[in-house]
Amino acid sequence: MMEESVSNPKRRISRVAVSAVLAAATATVIISSTSKSGESGQAQTVKSHGQDLVAESSADSDDPTTWQLPIEAYLPDTSRAGSLVASARDARIDECMADAGLPEWEPAPDLPSLENNSFTGTRYGRSDIEQARKSGYHPDPEKVAAYNKALREDHSMETDREVLKKCAFKVDGRPSEEMDAARQPSMAEEIAYYSYRDSMNDSRVLRAFKRWSECMKTKGYNYEAPMDANDDPQWAANGGFTQKEIDTAVADVECRDKYHVERVWFDSEAEIQNSMIGKNLKVLQQERVAAQGRHQ
């Protein structure tokens, strides 16, 4: 394993991911990218860990939500497969609760996403100019309302908690409160973290950041890197988006677009991931097979 155990900076591991199925990796991994010449829509072949990885533009080459990084083929799928696993788990707990004399118990509802479900959609920060104009760096207000509504409808803890704890233990094989603590990041998750971190030291990315920073200064903002603006503590401290935040986010996206910051950053990270996958392919394959065996 790698030297540090850390989780992906832009991908939260939900309770579903504890037992999520790893997505099946295909022999050919499609990565949305431009050719080395910088022309969109042309495919290029990159040799990596004994396979040909085809890098080509996505359906919408300007939309980061359509891009796919190579490590995604090995990451736990917390959407489709993950929801199936969670549903099966809930059904087993529901049966256990009914056997314990609590048939009225209902599992927690699925919480809607606050952002899009794309792995790369917000990995490199805000990229949608219309969303920036609407709510700055905050999630869409309509999605927040739907999320809060789902939370209010969660009555799963309005029951005998000791019985619920025992049922969770019976289904999971260990106390439910220990599950997240006991779970260590997979190799795929570590690669997703380290590739993101290392990409920010790539000379091409640093050059794009410098141009972005200079662009922001002409608009009256002093940030060294895009995520400094995205993660500015004052946005969270305000409790909601303000006009200042909206103006900053709009300027941020405009400067990103001017120098193709997301594209440069994505291309760098894809290259780094290909190298890491090649060095850790055996472990990645073993993790995938083990996960598939547990959840068949």
Side-chain angles (χ1 to χ4, degrees), residues 99-259:
D99 291 342
L102 297 169
E104 71 281 359
W105 180 81
E106 294 182 1
D110 292 335
L111 295 177
S113 175
L114 288 174
E115 295 286 352
N116 63 71
N117 293 321
S118 164
F119 184 77
T120 54
T122 56
R123 185 169 180 82
Y124 309 112
R126 177 67 74 202
S127 61
D128 185 340
I129 190 70
E130 293 306 319
Q131 189 59 55
R133 289 175 177 143
K134 188 175 184 179
S135 58
Y137 295 106
H138 277 69
D140 189 308
E142 294 179 1
K143 291 185 177 182
V144 172
Y147 185 91
N148 290 336
K149 181 175 182 293
L151 281 179
R152 291 193 297 271
E153 294 174 351
D154 179 6
H155 304 293
S156 61
M157 298 305 292
E158 297 174 7
T159 187
D160 188 321
R161 297 195 180 188
E162 284 302 312
V163 174
L164 179 58
K165 180 178 178 180
K166 290 178 181 178
C167 285
F169 175 82
K170 180 179 179 181
V171 171
D172 298 328
R174 67 183 68 178
S176 56
E177 65 267 23
E178 294 178 8
M179 289 185 68
D180 286 342
R183 183 179 184 275
Q184 296 298 314
S186 67
M187 174 61 73
E189 290 168 330
E190 290 195 6
I191 288 176
Y193 169 81
Y194 285 106
S195 63
Y196 180 87
R197 184 197 66 178
D198 293 354
S199 67
M200 289 187 283
N201 293 319
D202 186 308
S203 60
R204 296 164 296 179
V205 175
L206 290 174
R207 185 161 53 250
F209 284 2
K210 182 179 180 180
R211 290 173 175 170
W212 173 91
S213 179
E214 291 171 350
C215 175
M216 289 292 282
K217 287 178 181 177
T218 66
K219 296 176 181 290
Y221 303 99
N222 188 22
Y223 296 104
E224 291 187 6
M227 296 310 289
D228 293 341
N230 188 92
D231 299 335
D232 192 323
Q234 66 178 306
W235 311 143
N238 290 329
F241 56 88
T242 62
Q243 189 60 49
K244 180 180 180 181
E245 177 184 339
I246 289 175
D247 293 342
T248 305
V250 169
D252 177 5
V253 176
E254 289 175 344
C255 289
R256 285 168 177 269
D257 290 347
K258 183 175 182 179
Y259 294 108

Side-chain angles (χ1 to χ4, degrees), residues 82-92 110:
S83 63
L84 290 174
V85 172
S87 295
R89 176 181 181 272
D90 286 343
R92 293 171 63 192
D110 292 335

Side-chain angles (χ1 to χ4, degrees), residues 59-74:
D60 183 354
S61 61
D62 293 327
D63 182 4
T65 66
T66 66
W67 302 349
Q68 185 179 3
L69 285 164
I71 198 59
E72 292 185 64
Y74 300 94

